[in-house]
Amino acid sequence: MQSTITHLECPECGRRYDHRRLQTVCKDCNSPLLARYDLDKVRRTLSLDEAGRRQRGIWRWAELLPLLDAKHRTTLGEGDTPLVPAPRLGGAIGLRNVSIKDESGNPTGSFKARGLAVAVSKAIELGVREFVIPTAGNAGGALAAYATRANVSAHVYMPSDAPPANQHEVRAFGAELVLVEGLISDAGKRAAQEAAKHGWFDVSTFKEPYRLEGKKTMGFELAEHFGGRLPDVILYPTGGGTGLVGMWKAFEEMEAMGWIGSARPRMVSVQAAGCAPVVRAIETGSQRIDPWQDAETAAAGLRVPSPYADRQILRAIHQSNGTAVAVSEAEIAEAQAEMASTEGLLAAPEGAASWAGLKRLAAQGWVGTEERVVLFNTGSGLKYI
Ligand SMILES: *Cc1c(COP(=O)(O)O)cnc(C)c1O
Ligand SMILES: [Zn+2]
């Protein structure tokens, strides 16, 4: 179970980077960097079935993760979340195969755990002892937990109106919490300044290559859930887009290893109407995402006015023949109540947005009755109370 990472690569210009050093983004085009593996080797030594027999959690994909030495693994039991059938929700809108990938059971109650488990482990392997992150909330909680687990320090920059549970958990884990007036973009500027001043390592979304690698494990798990196939449609509540781009990368890797065929799910990015830069770019056919002014939504994880990996997000949606949909605050609140009262699942507002988005698309006839649809519930509703 040895990582087969070979190098890092810029998806825009192809420039290669050394994975044995700490890297951030492409020096030429500022693009996020992607980890590349010896997929021929993995193809010969590991199958989807074999991986399925290993101990649960994201680390059973070790060959396809960047960590070279298992002694640097920082884990709280992240990953391998259930795919919960939602027959009553789906039935209510005439769909027969809707299920929910329920990420709420991850450590710290959101899927941010997957990405930060890998990013923290890898950075520690490369010598980092002090981390910094700007966050809408959940990523800060996850960083604080993993940093504490690894006995290193973390500084978390969070908008002052972030959910109280996120503020509480960061302090409880013993990290430094800095509340910032404004949005995650303002927190990002502060975090970058402090990182430069103190030599802290910045694990902002897509500003280092490995949170993406943790999140891509959701794609492997889906292929497993569906017996070596993939669903027809995936609805993903999109902030920075890590999971969307990560799953897309996982699908490419699995096809290259012969684990799956070339069929792909249509990827749907769901956003809040009060902050919908991805939806606007899809509607206007743009290749880049313009910053959204005056972003506002109670779904904190979706309040990302200017996603850094804009080219990669748009490419995944376009290549998959997917789409993007914006839902209102009222639709999100209603969706959250419906998920709870029909399927027994108290979703985060971001996860509820996926269900609201599916209702929209089903009403437009965009989703077929028999199609296998996966909604992502990315976190626990309990963190927003
Ligand atoms: C961060 C977050 C999102 C958005 O995830 P991205 O990968 O940044 O798009 C969605 N839901 C929750 C609960 C989150 O914490
Ligand atoms: Zn580049």
Side-chain angles (χ1 to χ4, degrees):
M1 288 188 57
Q2 181 65 43
S3 173
T4 65
I5 187 168
T6 53
H7 62 282
L8 295 165
E9 187 178 78
C10 171
E12 303 306 320
C13 73
R15 181 166 169 187
R16 287 173 164 237
Y17 292 84
D18 187 350
H19 64 282
R20 288 160 303 187
R21 289 167 174 241
L22 215 50
Q23 302 288 359
T24 55
V25 297
C26 181
K27 294 183 177 73
D28 291 331
C29 46
N30 287 321
S31 164
L33 298 177
L34 302 181
R36 297 299 186 202
Y37 300 85
D38 184 350
L39 297 178
D40 281 332
K41 185 171 177 189
V42 185
R43 176 195 193 98
R44 291 193 302 273
T45 54
L46 183 66
S47 65
L48 204 48
D49 284 347
E50 176 67 32
R53 286 189 285 273
R54 292 178 173 176
Q55 192 188 332
R56 302 284 89 190
I58 63 169
W59 300 101
R60 66 196 172 94
W61 312 102
E63 288 89 337
L64 301 163
L65 292 174
L67 201 67
L68 297 177
D69 189 336
K71 79 167 186 260
H72 299 296
R73 258 183 217 176
T74 305
T75 181
L76 289 159
E78 53 289 333
D80 274 321
T81 54
L83 185 71
V84 183
R88 290 173 66 199
L89 270 188
I93 55 171
L95 301 183
R96 279 216 265 271
N97 284 305
V98 175
S99 39
I100 302 169
K101 180 72 168 153
D102 185 15
E103 292 290 306
S104 65
N106 274 302
T108 67
S110 90
F111 72 158
K112 292 293 192 301
R114 293 180 187 261
L116 283 150
V118 173
V120 167
S121 298
K122 184 64 188 174
I124 285 174
E125 181 164 78
L126 295 172
V128 171
R129 309 307 295 168
E130 204 151 3
F131 290 87
V132 61
I133 197 168
T135 174
N138 283 324
L143 172 66
Y146 287 98
T148 295
R149 186 87 182 151
N151 199 20
V152 297
S153 46
H155 307 269
V156 176
Y157 289 74
M158 198 183 281
S160 54
D161 58 354
N166 291 127
Q167 304 182 27
H168 180 86
E169 67 181 338
V170 169
R171 290 199 185 97
F173 292 134
E176 184 196 13
L177 176 66
V178 182
L179 295 175
V180 178
E181 292 309 316
L183 298 172
I184 188 172
S185 38
D186 303 297
K189 281 174 209 140
R190 282 283 303 281
Q193 285 163 5
E194 300 297 320
K197 202 190 305 175
H198 304 286
W200 301 337
F201 189 59
D202 186 349
V203 285
S204 298
T205 303
F206 281 113
K207 303 272 178 78
E208 60 75 47
Y210 300 120
R211 281 174 63 183
L212 181 70
E213 295 303 290
K215 285 255 186 102
K216 86 180 175 189
T217 58
M218 298 189 297
F220 298 151
E221 290 173 25
L222 282 183
E224 231 176 13
H225 286 306
F226 287 93
R229 291 167 58 200
L230 294 173
D232 299 303
V233 177
I234 292 177
L235 289 102
Y236 182 84
T238 309
T242 331
L244 186 103
V245 176
M247 284 190 278
W248 197 247
K249 182 173 188 283
F251 300 156
E252 285 173 357
E253 291 174 353
M254 287 192 289
E255 186 182 359
M257 294 185 295
W259 288 8
I260 61 168
S262 59
R264 292 285 184 279
R266 307 200 297 289
M267 305 297 283
V268 180
S269 173
V270 182
Q271 299 203 293
C275 180
V278 177
V279 180
R280 186 173 60 192
I282 292 291
E283 282 170 356
T284 60
S286 165
Q287 304 299 311
R288 301 299 304 248
I289 294 178
D290 295 323
W292 189 271
Q293 300 304 320
D294 305 319
E296 214 181 312
T297 170
L302 306 187
R303 212 164 46 146
V304 180
S306 188
Y308 192 75
D310 57 342
R311 290 171 283 196
Q312 290 77 24
I313 293 170
L314 296 174
R315 209 175 287 139
I317 295 171
H318 284 133
Q319 287 180 357
S320 75
N321 293 313
T323 189
V325 23
V327 295
S328 70
E329 295 301 295
E331 286 175 281
I332 293 173
E334 186 188 58
Q336 190 182 38
E338 286 169 355
M339 289 172 88
S341 62
T342 54
E343 301 290 1
L345 205 145
L346 189 61
E350 296 88 341
S354 310
W355 166 234
L358 180 59
K359 287 198 284 180
R360 283 274 189 97
L361 293 176
Q364 294 164 18
W366 197 85
V367 185
T369 308
E370 302 293 336
E371 286 195 297
R372 293 157 311 154
V373 180
V374 172
L375 302 173
F376 268 86
N377 174 37
T378 44
S380 169
L382 292 174
K383 291 191 86 173
Y384 299 76
I385 285 168

